[in-house]
Structure formats: structure tokens, C-alpha cells
Amino acid sequence: MKKVGIFVALAVIVAAGAVAWYAMKPAGKITGWQIAEVLPADTLVFIEITNAEKQMESLLSSPLGRSVGEMDMEAALYQLGDDPFLLETWRTLEEKISSPLNRRLFYALFGRQAGMAIFPEAMEEGHGPGVIAPGVAFVAKPVGDAALISFMAQWVPDLKTEALPPYQGQEIRVLRFDNEVDLYTGTWKGLLLMAFDLQTLQRMLDVSAQRVASLGDHPPFGAMVREFESTDRSFFVYADMPALTAALDEPMEYLLGGVGMAVWSQLRGQMKGFKELVWIGFDESREMQVSEGRISMDQKAMDPEFRSVINIPARKSLPLGMAPADTQFFFWNGTFDIRYSIESQFQRKEDLVEFYEGFESFAGFSFDEFVAAFGQDLAVLTTGVNTRGMFLIPDLALIIASPSPDRLSAFLDGLLTQVESFIHTPFEREQEMVQDIALISAISPLGDDIVPAWAAMDGYFIVGLKPDSVRAVIQAARSGSGLTADPVFQAVAEGMDGKTHGVSYIRFDALMATCMEIADWSLQRTRMMNPWQAEPQAVLVREILSPLLSGLKMYEAIGSYTTYEKDRVVMQTRTKLQLIQE
């Protein structure tokens, strides 16, 4: 139980960081990078949260906070097995989290400015990833020096403390939890330094004494954060991507094994040339959150084929103007390269040659001819999920730039012919005119859950799992009253409607409603097929999932874009909040 208290305390800290940027109120201004001044220059990852007290209080009073407060966790835990230990642990946790004293102490410790950092030694052999590993550091700017002991004492009543010999002229105190886990603490210029390993703490004290270079003085870090120096931020993330990915090789090999490691190695190859990453969040207003990201890159170090992909000129996303007004998810890739996407999956040349031969045998034309039918635009969109049938089928459409849509139509027709041969059932092709565009559908006598449909329009090939999906795209493009005319979209569209390399949009409140429909569909299926499991599932849906999804609807819409520049990637995300819900 004492260990549980320790990890719960850590979980509270981490959770605060995870949700902190979802702030409802502008926080007091914090600029500069004081925490970075006690971290070594070889830091792999640095995460900083500012003004967590105001952010957390705003979150607790938001629709999401109120919805979470309405959850009946005890009822849900009872349905999960009526485990007395689990129920008692939850009651203890709930009591401590809701304690006004604990909250005040937590805010005194972490409410102004707090950070977590990972050093290279955290990834060394024998350690494995985890918050207790050497090389994991925590830094806070507390209101009072004694707050840490007071806070921990609430969770671990028999907490023992001990003073250690000073290091670099700074006092070190260790908090001993049940003689199994130790937390080492020190201070520097009003900062509280913490680590579960003495050498990790000493590394920070070496930095503070200027015996080794700090992250704050590290030239790549300075170059990345310079433009955000005066930003009133709510969160900040930094990562040294080459060092981090190299350090992850061993943990990934342990976690993924042979096949997974091959995928990781391929991903590592595609990440060559990307260097430092920074991501910063701030509040533009009470109902608009903004985050911006930058990744520095060295194009000379990149795979030549990948380099050619990201050097495709930025341009406006024309498929964005073809999305229906009720689109729940939209993603556009303006650097789409079908050849690179497929060929990069093959590690051996002989496998690629075998693929070429098999493709031509299947399609009736060469892979080169197939590639020539694709342009550099690919968009994916959904307007919901069909929950009225036996299967969950998304209302999905693809919009593909194509100088030769007839070639893609022939390929799709050939694919359906193969399916017909396999299931021994023919599809009936039907054609209809949607305004001036011919829409073709393939109808199967086996049912109408999936009715593949496609059409060619204005240099694009549109394909969907239902004729309605393709029809909606055509109508939106022709009417001009689609997604781009929607006021909610327009609220987050800044930058998305200009020249970019990628755009994404989520109508989050509608997506949460769809998730609830899926949960209800699943519950109905359980009642039909496994009725003895229906009541526990119903409790979980009613007491946990329903209020959670309802609260998440306050994130009304999220829009983002990505642009590749000469030596960096620029990203921005805008989130519109709906704080007053019906």
C-alpha cells in the first residue's frame, strides 16, 4: 500500500502535466527557461508545465471536469469484479485527491512551474524505461521549501527523511519510502530538484555549479526556443530526436522483437535528418488554445527519396473544399508519393521485383503505369459510422489527385472482379449522374453494408465505401457549402487554408457523439449474443464512458497544418473550446 501511495503521487504529477495545456483561463506570464539551466546539455527529453494551478482549477470547473466528477467509479469497479482491495484503493485515492490540504500542497509544489527530464543514462542497459530509472529527473519552482515533505507525508504517513553530505555546496535530503524507494532532493535558486537516483540529482547540481554545460546554454536548444522566448506558455516539450531514437533501440528490441524491430528500423531510417523538436502551447483566448511545433532538420542526412518527397512545393489543399459540412475527420497529405509509400516497405530488392511481377499479373498493367495515375494529393475523410447494420462501417471517402482517373477506375474494377471470383458472387455495376459527374456503384446481393462507389471529378478520383459518401463529396465541391463554409471550421482554420504540406481537422464533439453511438451499438450486440455480460457493460457505459464522452465534447474542433521549410518543419494546432454545453 505504501508503494501504491508513491506511485499515485507520481501519477498525480504526470497527470497534471498531461492535461495542463487544456487550460480555460490565460495564466500568469512565465517566460525564459530557468529549469533548462539545471539540466545537462545531453538531455533527451524535457517537458515543462507552467501555471498548473490555474490550469487544473479551470479544468476541474469545465464541462469535462464536471463530467468526470459525476462518474460512479465504485459502481464500475464493482462490476469489474467486486475486488475489496481495488475498491479500498480507489476510496483512499479519491479521499487524498479531493483533500483541500493535499491540493494546496500540490499547488504549492507544482502549481507555478514544473518539469520532467530524461537523461541518456535512463536508457542504458539494465534500466529499462520507467519513472524510477536513473536519469529521470523532476524539477519544480515551489512556493515553499517544506511543501514536498508535507505533501508526501499525506500519502506515506511513516515517511522517513535523512540529510546527506552536501554536494557542490548544496544540501541533499533523501525521502525514504518503506526503505525500498528513495527520492533525492536538492535546491538551486528557488528550484526544487528531485530524482530517484543520487547520481541523477548530482548531475543537475553539477550543471547548476557550471561544472558541465546546461541545456539552456546548448546552442541547438537556444536556436529552437528563441522565437518563443516571450511566449506566455502553458506547456513546453523539447526532444533531441537523433539521440532519443538511438537510445530507444535497445528498449524497442526488448519490447517489439524481430518483426517489430524491423518496422522500428525502417522508421528510424525515415527519421534520419530530423534533429531537435520543440512543442509549445498557449491560450490565445479563453475558448481558443494554440500549440506550435518546430523540428529542425538536415536534408543532406536524409534518405534521398524521402528528401524529394518533402521538397514537393507547398500548396493549398483543394480537397479541403470538397469535404462535406458534417465531416468529423479530415486528413490531407500534400506530399503523397504512392511509389515511395509502397516501395519503402520492402527491405530486399528481390522481394520488390516479386511484388512488381505479382502486381502486373493481378492488375493487367505495370506498377509504373499504376503510379503514373496518381498525383501528389491524398485526402481521407469520414462523416460518421453506420451503426444500423451487423457491422460497424465508417462513412469513409478517399480523394486522390489523378491525371489518369480511368486507370484507377480500371484497377478498382479489377480488384472487385477478384473479390467476385473469391466469393462466387457478382457485383452489379450501377451508374448515376450527380449533377454533371458520373458515380459508379458496385452492388452485391450479399447485403448493402458495403457498396463500393467511385467517381472522377476535376482531376481527382473519389472512392468510398458507400455511394452516399462519394455523393456528399461531389455535392460539397459543386455547391461551395461544404466544410470550409462551416463557422466552427473557420474558427480553427488559420493557416490551414494557405499553402501547406498537410492539413487535418477533427470535429471533436461530433466524433465523441459517434463514439457513444458505437458504445451503444456494442452494448446492444452484447445483449443479443451474451446477455449475462450486458449489465456489467451497461454500468461501465453509463457510469464511466457516457459522462467522459459528454465532457470531452467541450473540445469542439481541432485544426492543424504542417509545412516543410528548408531546414525545419513548422506545425500548428488550434483547438476551439465549447465551455457552455446544452
Side-chain angles (χ1 to χ4, degrees):
M1 286 297 291
K2 295 174 184 176
K3 280 188 174 182
V4 171
I6 297 169
F7 289 112
V8 166
L10 290 172
V12 171
I13 297 168
V14 174
V19 303
W21 83 270
Y22 295 113
M24 309 312 137
K25 302 175 183 177
K29 193 167 187 177
I30 290 183
T31 58
W33 311 96
Q34 186 183 10
I35 292 180
E37 294 175 11
V38 298
L39 305 178
D42 61 353
T43 296
L44 299 179
V45 177
F46 167 39
I47 302 171
E48 180 193 69
I49 305 298
T50 58
N51 293 295
E53 177 179 357
K54 290 185 177 180
Q55 297 190 61
M56 287 296 293
E57 288 299 316
S58 297
L59 181 64
L60 291 171
S61 63
S62 72
L64 176 58
R66 294 194 298 270
S67 293
V68 171
E70 294 171 0
M71 292 181 180
D72 190 342
M73 285 295 298
E74 286 201 26
L77 291 173
Y78 178 80
Q79 293 296 335
L80 288 174
D82 191 21
D83 185 332
F85 174 76
L86 198 59
L87 288 168
E88 184 58 32
T89 300
W90 166 251
R91 290 171 184 147
T92 302
L93 174 62
E94 185 178 36
E95 178 184 350
K96 292 185 180 297
I97 289 178
S98 61
S99 163
L101 174 61
N102 282 351
R103 187 176 296 180
R104 285 197 300 272
L105 289 171
F106 179 81
Y107 289 154
L109 270 173
F110 308 105
R112 295 173 62 190
Q113 197 170 6
M116 174 182 175
I118 300 175
F119 307 154
E121 52 264 37
M123 301 296 181
E124 291 177 359
E125 184 177 359
H127 294 158
V131 295
I132 306 299
V136 178
F138 302 90
V139 183
K141 193 171 186 178
V143 175
D145 292 339
L148 177 63
I149 295 175
S150 300
F151 177 67
M152 290 298 187
Q154 300 299 314
W155 296 83
V156 189
D158 58 349
L159 178 68
K160 300 178 180 66
T161 65
E162 179 184 339
L164 298 184
Y167 184 82
Q168 299 295 353
Q170 300 293 331
E171 294 183 357
I172 296 178
R173 183 176 292 273
V174 58
L175 283 62
R176 301 196 184 279
F177 302 94
D178 199 23
N179 293 321
E180 294 183 18
V181 177
D182 296 336
L183 178 65
Y184 298 88
T185 70
T187 59
W188 180 77
K189 291 186 178 181
L191 294 179
L192 175 64
L193 316 181
M194 297 168 283
F196 289 99
D197 173 71
L198 180 58
Q199 291 183 343
T200 301
L201 178 66
Q202 290 173 338
R203 283 204 71 189
M204 290 189 283
L205 293 175
D206 283 337
V207 174
S208 66
Q210 299 184 335
R211 289 188 58 187
V212 296
S214 73
L215 180 63
D217 292 330
H218 190 42
F221 179 85
M224 293 295 287
V225 303
R226 190 171 296 120
E227 67 177 290
F228 301 118
E229 189 68 36
S230 60
T231 302
D232 183 11
R233 61 187 182 272
S234 55
F235 79 90
F236 172 79
V237 177
Y238 163 84
D240 181 341
M241 294 182 65
L244 178 61
T245 52
L248 285 172
D249 280 343
E250 187 175 307
M252 285 296 182
E253 185 173 9
Y254 174 78
L255 293 171
L256 301 177
V259 176
M261 197 59 189
V263 175
W264 169 248
S265 297
Q266 180 182 340
L267 180 61
R268 284 263 276 124
Q270 294 174 347
M271 294 174 67
K272 284 177 58 179
F274 290 104
K275 301 190 295 182
E276 292 80 23
L277 172 147
V278 298
W279 197 274
I280 189 167
F282 55 92
D283 297 323
E284 185 175 88
S285 68
R286 188 169 182 265
E287 297 186 347
M288 184 64 67
Q289 298 168 342
V290 180
S291 63
E292 295 192 9
R294 305 286 187 269
I295 304 176
S296 61
M297 59 183 183
D298 177 8
Q299 292 204 25
K300 293 180 181 179
M302 292 180 171
D303 175 78
E305 293 182 357
F306 183 73
R307 182 170 63 240
S308 67
V309 169
I310 67 172
N311 278 300
I312 294 172
R315 61 195 181 282
K316 189 171 182 177
S317 172
L318 296 181
L320 192 58
M322 303 164 70
D326 59 349
T327 295
Q328 295 183 11
F329 172 81
F330 176 90
F331 171 78
W332 171 71
N333 179 6
T335 61
F336 180 62
D337 186 325
I338 186 67
R339 181 185 295 278
Y340 178 79
S341 299
I342 294 176
E343 292 184 346
S344 62
Q345 305 305 309
F346 294 90
Q347 303 295 316
R348 301 189 310 164
K349 185 176 181 180
E350 51 267 36
D351 292 336
L352 188 58
V353 171
E354 184 178 344
F355 166 76
Y356 291 151
E357 294 172 350
F359 181 91
E360 186 164 357
S361 174
F362 168 81
F365 48 84
S366 71
F367 181 70
D368 287 340
E369 291 175 298
F370 176 71
V371 168
F374 284 84
Q376 296 171 335
D377 289 273
L378 172 68
V380 182
L381 67 88
T382 63
T383 56
V385 174
N386 180 11
T387 58
R388 297 181 297 276
M390 290 291 293
F391 304 100
L392 289 173
I393 307 297
D395 298 323
L396 175 74
L398 302 181
I399 305 174
I400 305 166
S402 176
S404 305
D406 290 345
R407 177 68 67 189
L408 295 183
S409 181
F411 176 77
L412 185 57
D413 195 69
L415 182 62
L416 289 174
T417 299
Q418 295 287 337
V419 174
E420 289 173 329
S421 175
F422 179 76
I423 65 175
H424 305 290
T425 304
F427 286 81
E428 180 182 352
R429 276 45 163 196
E430 288 189 358
Q431 179 174 308
E432 64 174 290
M433 298 303 296
V434 180
Q435 299 188 26
D436 58 332
I437 303 300
L439 188 157
I440 301 172
S441 304
I443 301 172
S444 167
L446 297 180
D448 60 357
D449 286 332
I450 297 179
V451 180
W454 60 94
M457 179 180 68
D458 303 335
Y460 287 92
F461 184 74
I462 308 160
V463 58
L465 299 180
K466 286 269 192 160
D468 285 347
S469 299
V470 179
R471 191 179 297 114
V473 171
I474 297 171
Q475 292 171 341
R478 286 290 184 258
S479 68
S481 59
L483 179 62
T484 54
D486 178 50
V488 175
F489 170 82
Q490 292 172 352
V492 299
E494 182 179 308
M496 296 171 60
D497 50 1
K499 291 183 178 181
T500 69
H501 288 103
V503 163
S504 64
Y505 172 77
I506 302 174
R507 182 60 191 261
F508 204 77
D509 57 348
L511 188 62
M512 294 302 98
T514 296
C515 289
M516 194 65 232
E517 291 177 10
I518 293 172
D520 289 337
W521 175 89
S522 175
L523 181 57
Q524 292 302 320
R525 295 280 293 171
T526 300
R527 284 175 173 154
M528 288 189 297
M529 302 179 68
N530 303 299
W532 61 91
Q533 297 178 352
E535 185 54 31
Q537 184 176 339
V539 172
L540 293 174
V541 169
R542 182 177 65 249
E543 303 298 344
I544 303 298
L545 190 60
S546 180
L548 176 62
L549 295 178
S550 177
L552 286 171
K553 288 181 181 179
M554 78 178 199
Y555 302 107
E556 190 172 10
I558 303 171
S560 64
Y561 70 85
T562 301
T563 303
Y564 295 100
E565 298 180 353
K566 181 180 179 180
D567 57 359
R568 66 176 187 172
V569 185
V570 176
M571 300 164 285
Q572 185 186 87
T573 298
R574 299 174 67 82
T575 302
K576 184 180 184 299
L577 302 179
Q578 185 177 224
L579 300 180
I580 301 176
Q581 298 184 7
E582 298 179 357

